[in-house]
Amino acid sequence: TQLLEQSPQFLSIQEGENLTVYCNSSSVFSSLQWYRQEPGEGPVLLVTVVTGGEVKKLKRLTFQFGDARKDSSLHITAAQPGDTGLYLCAGAVRYGGATNKLIFGTGTLLAVQP
Amino acid sequence: DSGVTQTPKHLITATGQRVTLRCSPRSGDLSVYWYQQSLDQGLQFLIQYYNGEERAKGNILERFSAQQFPDLHSELNLSSLELGDSALYFCASRAGAADTGELFFGEGSRLTVL
C-alpha cells in the first residue's frame, strides 16, 4: 500500500511568517498534485508537478518535486489568513495500463492568525 | 462551484442500514472517483470509474459497491452500515482516465451512522 506522509500535521503561525510543508513516500509517483481544502468544501487543485526536480511557483506558493519523484514540498512566503486550510498532496500511481490511481497524503492543517 | 454535484449533503442513519450516495460529474468528464474522508484516516481512495467501467479500486469494503451509469452519473452504495462508516464521502471527476489533469471535487456527502 502506497503511503504519503505529510509533515507537520498541524501548523499555527502568525500572518507574515514563512512555512514549508513536506510530503514524503517510499513510492515513486508519475506525478504529484497539491490540493487545498477549506471547511465544508472539497479539495481544490493548486498545482501539478510531473518532472523530478521540477519547481513551480504560484504567487507566494512554491512547489518542488523531488529528484527521485518520491517527495515534494510546498513553501508559503509571507502567509496570510486566507492561506488557512487543509493542504493535501496527492501522488499518481500506475494502477494498470494507462490508469493512474490518485493517493492522497495525510494532510497538513494550517492556521494563519492575523 | 466545481461543477460536481453530490446528494444528499447530509445523511443520518442507523447501524445495519443501507444508503446510496449520488454523484453527477462535471459536464463532459468521463472519470468519476469516490473518496472517504475521516478524521483518523484522511482522504482514502475507494474506487474509480471511467465511461461506465471500473478502472481502479482502493480501500473499498465488500459492504460497499459503486457503479457509473450510461449518463455518467455514479452511485456509491453502502450497506450493513457500522459506526465506523461515519465520514465525509467525496465524489470527484476528471476528463480522462489516464491523464494528470485536475480532479474536481463535489462538496461531499456527510454520513452519520448512529
Side-chain angles (χ1 to χ4, degrees):
Chain A
T1 301
Q2 298 87 8
L3 192 62
L4 269 171
E5 291 281 353
Q6 286 185 236
S7 62
Q9 267 190 299
F10 305 100
L11 194 51
S12 180
I13 60 172
Q14 294 295 124
E15 182 175 0
E17 291 184 22
N18 301 332
L19 67 119
T20 303
V21 176
Y22 298 94
C23 173
N24 294 290
S25 176
S26 57
S27 301
V28 175
F29 297 100
S30 56
S31 65
L32 194 135
Q33 296 179 322
W34 284 91
Y35 288 79
R36 186 173 78 198
Q37 183 179 14
E38 298 187 23
E41 299 179 10
V44 176
L45 180 69
L46 296 173
V47 78
T48 301
V49 285
V50 296
T51 306
E54 182 177 359
V55 176
K56 275 192 175 177
K57 291 193 175 185
L58 187 68
K59 296 183 181 176
R60 294 177 294 99
L61 277 60
T62 302
F63 305 85
Q64 182 161 11
F65 201 11
D67 291 341
R69 290 186 289 131
K70 292 183 179 182
D71 56 87
S72 180
S73 64
L74 156 61
H75 182 79
I76 301 180
T77 304
Q80 298 177 2
D83 296 327
T84 294
L86 177 67
Y87 287 82
L88 296 157
C89 62
V93 178
R94 286 279 182 219
Y95 185 74
T99 299
N100 284 323
K101 193 165 62 170
L102 198 63
I103 305 298
F104 278 82
T106 48
T108 295
L109 188 58
L110 171 66
V112 182
Q113 313 296 335
Chain B
D1 182 8
S2 67
V4 178
T5 304
Q6 288 188 247
T7 56
K9 286 197 185 330
H10 300 275
L11 191 55
I12 302 174
T13 189
T15 54
Q17 294 298 303
R18 173 190 170 93
V19 298
T20 297
L21 309 180
R22 183 187 166 100
C23 169
S24 293
R26 281 191 332 153
S27 177
D29 283 359
L30 298 178
S31 275
V32 168
Y33 298 71
W34 285 98
Y35 286 87
Q36 178 193 58
Q37 187 174 42
S38 58
L39 284 175
D40 57 342
Q41 294 287 323
L43 201 59
Q44 296 286 311
F45 169 68
L46 296 178
I47 198 163
Q48 179 207 352
Y49 282 85
Y50 176 76
N51 203 20
E53 291 187 7
E54 181 185 305
R55 271 300 178 100
K57 236 175 181 176
N59 303 322
I60 188 165
L61 299 171
E62 285 190 11
R63 300 183 286 108
F64 296 1
S65 65
Q67 55 183 326
Q68 186 180 27
F69 295 87
D71 67 352
L72 301 177
H73 91 270
S74 178
E75 291 182 356
L76 178 66
N77 301 296
L78 316 175
S79 61
S80 302
L81 285 168
E82 302 175 359
L83 296 177
D85 297 328
S86 295
L88 251 179
Y89 291 85
F90 282 104
C91 169
S93 74
R94 169 188 273 178
D99 62 10
T100 54
E102 181 172 358
L103 213 55
F104 292 88
F105 283 82
E107 293 186 340
S109 292
R110 182 173 293 282
L111 172 66
T112 302
V113 182
L114 300 176

